[in-house]
């Protein structure tokens, strides 16, 4: 039987929705190429993991900057890859991990055991939980885990006997394990889609922005609103909503006194006065949605917009770039934040901020 083997590595690793590894790896490769960094992107279909490995480890910090988690669309989180440990024995996985970490000379203030959001990855969740306490204890004793150090060590289990050692500086990766914010479905909400908007507020905006941009008394339009999951998130923040959809809205939402149900075509409807928010979850061709949103923003009909681009096609990254390009052409100063959220399926969510 072969013993544990540690292989140092330098690169980036991201977690994504299973089935989108190609898009996630493509993003890493494109950004690395734009920064003139040599290496190779890797994606194994269905794994929920994509990576980029450097030819020259000296380019590590340039790569980290070029592939910042906040700027990636298909990554739920991103870490620096430092190495892999294989052939971990089931009777003691901690000792070889500790030995590898000694070799890397890492010091961190937090440890997170991770697994991918794939069929194989989810099977490792029990092992990840079980390993956390003993590994934490061992790292503390060894001085690797120390409150005065900075950053987080992410130990990504890819099999029962294999772990990838990854690190992230403070604030450089998603703060949630696996990059997945755990949100509970509110029982009063009319549809599970409500979690998409809640997650978008959490992931695409910081706390200060949420406080300033989601204030009671603001006005919003929700295109494709029925049955009202997104409207519900706005109403819960005391925002008035024109809910545009020919379909039925949840009666309790209409009773709130904050919702006007407009039975109209979302592509034709325009509000009498500019609104603070336009949100849009209509199932339509992404470029039609992008054109509509570009019009609203360019005509000053809304200050901020949050919308879904559905991506049932093969060339998903190309379609996203085309749609974001349409918005940038219409408003050269626009700020766009786009992400495939955990609650997004074959789609991404975009926050568009027009600058006055
Ligand atoms: C995915 S559902 C929206 C779910 C909603 N965001 C929620 O949280 O409950 C899409 C909605 O878009 C509506 N829709 C599609 N095309 C539309 C159009 N042209 N005008 C208005 N609504 C449209 C459909 O009737 C459907 O209710």
């Amino acid at each position: 039987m072969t013993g544990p083997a540690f292989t140092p590595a330098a690169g980036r690793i991201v977690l994504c929705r299973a089935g989108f590894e190609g898009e996630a790896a493509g993003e890493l490769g494109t950004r690395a190429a734009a920064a003139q960094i040599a290496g190779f992107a890797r994606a194994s279909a269905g794994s929920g993991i994509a990576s980029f490995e450097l030819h020259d480890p000296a380019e590590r910090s340039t790569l980290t900057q070029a592939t910042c988690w906040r700027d990636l669309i298909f990554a739920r989180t991103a870490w620096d890859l430092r190495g892999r440990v294989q052939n971990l024995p089931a009777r003691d996985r901690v000792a070889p991990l500790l030995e590898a970490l000694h070799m890397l000379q890492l010091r961190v203030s937090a440890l997170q055991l991770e697994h991918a959001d794939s069929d194989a990855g989810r099977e490792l969740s029990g092992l990840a939980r079980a390993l956390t306490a003993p590994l934490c204890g061992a790292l503390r004793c060894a001085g690797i885990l120390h409150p005065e150090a900075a950053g987080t060590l992410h130990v990504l289990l890819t099999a029962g006997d294999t772990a990838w050692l990854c690190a992230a500086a403070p604030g450089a990766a998603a703060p949630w394990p696996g990059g997945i914010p755990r949100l509970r479905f509110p029982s009063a909400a009319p549809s599970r889609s409500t979690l998409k908007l809640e997650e978008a507020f959490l992931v695409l905006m910081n706390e200060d922005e949420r406080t300033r941009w989601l204030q009671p008394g603001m006005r919003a339009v929700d295109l494709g609103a029925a049955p009202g999951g997104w409207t519900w998130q706005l109403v819960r923040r005391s925002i008035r909503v024109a809910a545009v959809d020919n379909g039925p809205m949840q009666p309790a939402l209409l009773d709130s006194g904050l919702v006007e149900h407009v039975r109209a075509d979302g592509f034709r409807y325009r509000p009498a006065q500019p609104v603070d928010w336009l949100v849009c979850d209509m199932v339509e061709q992404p470029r039609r949605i992008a054109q509509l949103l570009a019009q609203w923003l360019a005509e000053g009909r809304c200050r901020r917009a949050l919308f879904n681009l559905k991506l049932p096609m093969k060339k998903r990254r190309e379609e996203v770039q085309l749609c974001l390009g349409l918005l940038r052409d219409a408003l050269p100063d626009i700020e766009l934040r786009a992400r495939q959220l955990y609650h997004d399926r074959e789609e991404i969510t975009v926050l568009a901020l027009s600058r006055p």
Side-chain angles (χ1 to χ4, degrees), residues 165-342:
L165 303 178
C166 313
W176 313 280
I180 303 174
R182 308 280 156 179
L183 303 178
R184 192 176 301 164
F185 175 64
S187 56
S191 66
R192 287 202 69 79
S193 294
T194 201
L195 294 176
K196 272 198 285 187
L197 193 59
E198 188 177 358
E199 187 184 352
F201 288 153
L202 197 62
V203 173
L204 299 176
M205 289 153 57
N206 64 32
E207 200 176 335
D208 173 57
E209 290 166 342
R210 282 192 291 278
T211 308
R212 284 187 293 118
W213 296 349
L214 296 169
Q215 289 201 1
M218 284 183 161
R219 291 185 171 271
V221 170
D222 183 355
L223 299 179
W230 285 30
T231 293
W232 190 87
Q233 287 293 337
L234 297 163
V235 164
R236 116 178 219 217
R237 292 167 171 87
S238 303
I239 294 173
R240 294 188 165 276
V241 185
V244 183
D245 202 308
N246 279 313
M249 293 291 288
Q250 184 202 54
L253 261 181
L254 300 178
D255 291 345
S256 68
L258 291 172
V259 180
E260 179 198 0
H261 184 188
V262 184
R263 292 180 192 277
D265 179 356
F267 284 92
R268 289 172 181 267
Y269 171 83
R270 297 290 184 275
Q273 300 289 329
V275 292
D276 300 287
W277 280 99
L278 171 62
V279 299
C280 173
D281 190 22
M282 292 191 289
V283 181
E284 248 300 339
Q285 279 179 38
R287 55 188 86 177
R288 255 198 106 193
I289 299 288
Q291 274 157 354
L292 178 69
L293 271 288
Q295 261 177 27
W296 273 67
L297 287 155
E299 291 167 6
R301 293 186 193 276
C302 61
R303 293 180 66 191
R304 303 180 186 98
L306 221 156
F307 54 99
N308 250 207
L309 296 176
K310 317 283 176 191
L311 302 170
M313 65 286 298
K314 280 218 172 85
K315 297 191 167 180
R316 300 185 279 217
R317 270 185 72 223
E318 288 82 345
E319 189 66 26
V320 168
Q321 289 316 319
L322 187 143
C323 291
L324 300 183
L326 281 171
L327 283 145
R328 289 196 184 99
D329 288 347
L331 291 106
D333 280 345
I334 199 168
E335 181 181 344
L336 296 171
R337 303 178 191 173
R339 172 67 47 84
Q340 185 174 40
L341 303 170
Y342 171 67

